[in-house]
Amino acid sequence: MRKMLAAVSRVLSGVAQKPASRVLVASRSFANDATFEIKKCDLHRLEEGPPVTTVLTREDGLRYYRMMQTVRRMELKADQLYKQKIIRGFCHLCDGQEACCVGLEAGINPTDHLITAYRAHGFTFTRGLSVREILAELTGRRGGCAKGKGGSMHMYAKNFYGGNGIVGAQGQIFEAYNMAALWKLPCIFICENNRYGMGTSVERAAASTDYYKRGDFIPGLRVDGMDILCVREATRFAAAYCRSGKGPILMELQTYRYHGHSMSDPGVSYRTREEIQEVRSKSDPIMLLKDRMVNSNLASVEELKEIDVEVRKEIEDAAQFATADPEPPLEELGHHIYSSDPPFEVRGANQWIKFKSIS
C-alpha cells in the first residue's frame, strides 16, 4: 500500500512540475454603447416632445443598474428592519419606482434643486447620500442624515429638500402652477402616478386621469415611468425647456409601487397579488434595463450578478451600522433648529423642561 502511494505521489509530482504547453484565457469584449427605441410620450400644449430613440453607454448602463439595485435592496432591508420593530413610525417604500428617482437624477444637474414628498428614500440616495446615512436615519441613530431626528419622511441633502410628510405641502399645487406660469419660473412639476392614492385606484378617485394635463396652461408630458431611459430623456427635454426661459412644465411618470402605501398597508386589499406579479414580470424597471444591456452586449449576466452581490454586501454593512450606531441623546433634542443662530432655550413637553438649541 505504501509503495502504491509513493508511486502515485511521484506521478502527481511529475505532473505538477511539468510546464504547461497551452493556457486557456477566457475574455469578452463589450459594446461601448447601444441605441434603443423608447416609448413616445403623450404631449399637452407641446408641438414636439422627447426623442423616441436614445443612446445608452455601457458606463451609464452599469451605473444606472447599480443605483436602481441599491435602491431596491435598501427598501427591502427597510421593510425587514420595520417588521423587526427597529424602524418605527411612518415608512413609505419606493421599490418598483426606481426608474423615477434614478432617471430623474440622470436628466438634471447636481446643482439643480429637488423637492419631493414622503416617498423619499430613493431620491435621497440619488441626490448623493449614502445607504448608511439613510438607514441610520430610518432607525433614528446619530449617524443618520438628519442626526436621527427626521426619520423616513424628513431627509435632506445638498440641493434636496425632502421629504414632506403632508400630502401637497411641498407646494399648494394649483397656486404653484399659476405663479410659476405667471413668472415663467424654471420649474418641472412631477407627478409620480403609481396608480393608487393610498388605497384608492386613480380610476375611482379622478374624473380625469390625464394628470399631465392638470397644469392646464402649463405644457405637459406623460412618460413611461418604468423605463429609466424614457424618464431620463423626458427629464432632459423638460430641463432644456425650462432653462430656455419658456417657463414651467409638468411631467406625469406612470409607475408602480410593489409595497403598500406605507408599512401599515399590506397593499393587497385593494389590488390583487396577480396584478402586482404581472407588473413585476412584464414591467420591472431593473429587469427591463438588465435585458437591454445583456441583449445589446453592454454587459453580461455574470457581471450584473457580481454587482448584485456587491450591492447586497453594501446594504448588509449599512444595516449593521444603522442598528449599532447610538441614538442621539435627549439633550440634543432641540439642536439644529436654525443653521446659524446663537444658542437659545426650547421649551419641552411642559414649562419646567428646557432644552438648549445649538446650531
Side-chain angles (χ1 to χ4, degrees):
M1 184 66 177
R2 290 178 180 176
K3 290 182 179 179
M4 183 180 295
L5 290 174
V8 171
S9 178
R10 285 195 297 272
V11 170
L12 292 176
S13 177
V15 170
Q17 293 173 1
K18 185 177 179 181
S21 58
R22 290 184 296 177
V23 177
L24 178 63
V25 178
S27 64
R28 176 176 176 180
S29 59
F30 295 102
N32 291 324
D33 56 62
T35 301
F36 298 101
E37 293 184 358
I38 55 178
K39 185 178 179 181
K40 184 179 179 180
C41 295
D42 295 321
L43 307 179
H44 171 64
R45 289 184 177 268
L46 290 167
E47 293 183 0
E48 60 179 4
V52 293
T53 62
T54 186
V55 175
L56 176 66
T57 66
R58 168 174 157 80
E59 180 182 0
D60 284 345
L62 291 173
R63 184 170 73 254
Y64 300 159
Y65 181 84
R66 181 182 292 272
M67 291 180 73
M68 288 202 292
Q69 194 68 271
T70 300
V71 173
R72 173 72 56 85
R73 292 291 165 185
M74 179 178 69
E75 295 294 70
L76 294 178
K77 178 56 68 174
D79 171 272
Q80 180 184 352
L81 293 173
Y82 195 96
K83 290 173 179 175
Q84 293 172 347
K85 297 187 178 182
I86 297 173
I87 296 174
R88 310 300 288 265
F90 292 103
C91 186
H92 305 82
L93 304 182
C94 69
D95 49 316
Q97 300 183 200
E98 294 86 358
C100 295
C101 56
V102 178
L104 283 168
E105 189 64 36
I108 60 175
N109 302 323
T111 52
D112 292 325
H113 299 262
L114 180 65
I115 305 171
T116 186
Y118 45 79
R119 207 175 301 280
H121 307 163
F123 290 104
T124 308
F125 174 72
T126 59
R127 282 271 88 181
L129 290 183
S130 68
V131 177
R132 281 166 62 107
E133 292 173 292
I134 295 170
L135 288 183
E137 188 58 41
L138 287 171
T139 58
R141 309 305 169 107
R142 297 183 70 175
C145 59
K147 311 297 183 185
K149 295 184 286 186
S152 174
M153 295 184 287
H154 307 288
M155 299 185 181
Y156 306 92
K158 185 174 177 59
N159 300 329
F160 174 64
Y161 315 96
N164 198 306
I166 306 300
V167 177
Q170 69 271 28
Q172 298 300 317
I173 195 68
F174 292 104
E175 291 87 344
Y177 284 164
N178 185 58
M179 293 173 68
L182 281 173
W183 296 342
K184 289 192 177 298
L185 300 181
C187 179
I188 305 173
F189 293 98
I190 297 166
C191 168
E192 290 179 274
N193 178 9
N194 59 25
R195 293 167 51 176
Y196 294 92
M198 297 186 72
T200 306
S201 67
V202 294
E203 291 81 11
R204 292 180 57 210
S208 171
T209 58
D210 292 335
Y211 295 104
Y212 70 109
K213 297 180 180 179
R214 290 287 185 94
D216 189 14
F217 38 80
I218 295 177
L221 302 166
R222 182 156 59 191
V223 185
D224 182 355
M226 302 298 278
D227 183 350
I228 186 173
L229 299 184
C230 282
V231 177
R232 183 188 71 176
E233 293 307 312
T235 305
R236 286 176 174 173
F237 174 88
Y241 180 94
C242 290
R243 296 187 209 281
S244 69
K246 296 178 181 178
I249 193 169
L250 170 60
M251 291 203 309
E252 176 190 344
L253 307 181
Q254 292 188 312
T255 184
Y256 197 85
R257 57 170 163 80
Y258 294 152
H259 267 83
H261 167 70
S262 69
M263 284 301 297
S264 61
D265 168 22
V268 291
S269 60
Y270 48 87
R271 59 182 182 176
T272 64
R273 296 183 187 276
E274 289 74 22
E275 176 188 304
I276 302 170
Q277 186 55 42
E278 183 179 12
V279 175
R280 283 183 180 275
S281 61
K282 295 181 179 179
S283 304
D284 183 80
I286 298 176
M287 178 194 71
L288 291 177
L289 179 62
K290 178 180 179 180
D291 290 346
R292 274 178 170 156
M293 294 185 69
V294 171
N295 295 335
S296 300
N297 197 35
L298 291 174
S300 66
V301 173
E302 293 74 23
E303 185 177 20
L304 297 179
K305 284 182 178 179
E306 289 179 7
I307 292 177
D308 295 347
V309 172
E310 293 169 3
V311 167
R312 286 192 180 96
K313 184 180 186 306
E314 178 187 2
I315 301 301
E316 287 301 324
D317 291 345
Q320 289 184 13
F321 172 78
T323 53
D325 195 48
E327 296 179 353
L330 185 61
E331 57 267 22
E332 291 185 7
L333 185 64
H335 288 191
H336 310 115
I337 294 175
Y338 296 106
S339 63
S340 57
D341 271 27
F344 62 94
E345 284 191 339
V346 179
R347 175 179 161 167
N350 61 56
Q351 59 182 328
W352 298 282
I353 299 176
K354 301 287 185 181
F355 296 103
K356 179 165 283 191
S357 178
I358 300 176
S359 299

